[in-house]
Amino acid sequence: MSEESEPALKLEGVVKRYGDFQAVRGVDLEVPSGEIFGFLGPNGAGKTTTIRMVAGVLQPSGGRIRISGHDLASEPALAKSRVGYIPDRPFLYEKLSGGEFLRFVAGLWGKEADQVQDRVDRFLHLFHLTEWKDELIESYSHGMRQKLLITSALIHDPTLIVIDEPMVGLDPRSARILKDLLRRYVDEGGTVFLSTHTLEVAEAVCDRIAIIHEGRIIALGTMDELRAEADAGGAHLEDIFLKVTGGDEMAEVVASLRNAVGPSEVGSAGVG
Ligand code: ATP
């Protein structure tokens, strides 16, 4: 079967155990090309663990992950070459300049700097990083690091972008640019798999959403489908999140999430 006829991402019975503890408890998921798919859940739900397994940096304890039909376990090089991964706690070489870092990443993908220069310049310009490209990364703010990282993840022209908490640390302008960039990317046939604990981000950015709780998907669909499932016509996703997950415990989680909205997340609330 050709890559095009395969889903961009497919998870079958994916499990992750840390010792006796099951962080991810049998996740099944199919994301077609051209979709922004969001993984939404409270802290500790299993989002980062799942994202890291899809990115190929953490091995599942069970189940199977396919990227455009390529099995991550049996065809790792092919599968990973299709993925651009943007982690939530990235590692950047502080003593390199932004430009040097991007050339380094291009080299890891076997590309010469001049092969990717146009692409890199376009993103640096878009993110207002051009004048910073020769400065050392150690002088970059959190938001600038995030933008550099996004650029580095797009260098090899991946078909699937995997992002853990994409909007955290970005100012409203950069959050808007990233949202537009992701939309343009999927309009051109790319696919995005992202995690967020921020309801506004899921609602504003994603075509479909899976709500994950204690390692299991407990609801999945478009906003309208989730609304129908929660029997809450016209409700805001936050209400749906509460209704679908239910229980006082989840109400406390949502309330504390609301209280925990800091300056970095205020920007994401404006992504609409
Ligand atoms: P957050 O929003 O806080 O990042 P999350 O949904 O991304 O949460 P994960 O980081 O995937 O959640 O963690 C899921 C569960 O697995 C949590 O209970 C966490 O404590 C546990 N966990 C994660 N990594 C490890 C590890 N290396 N060893 C043991 N337990 C772990």
Side-chain angles (χ1 to χ4, degrees), residues 16 18 48-50 52-60 65:
K16 182 64 193 180
Y18 295 112
T48 297
T49 301
T50 306
R52 295 189 71 218
M53 289 191 283
V54 169
V57 296
L58 187 67
Q59 209 163 3
I65 300 174

Side-chain angles (χ1 to χ4, degrees), residues 30-42:
E30 208 170 299
V31 184
S33 295
E35 187 169 88
I36 302 181
F37 189 93
F39 227 37
L40 171 68

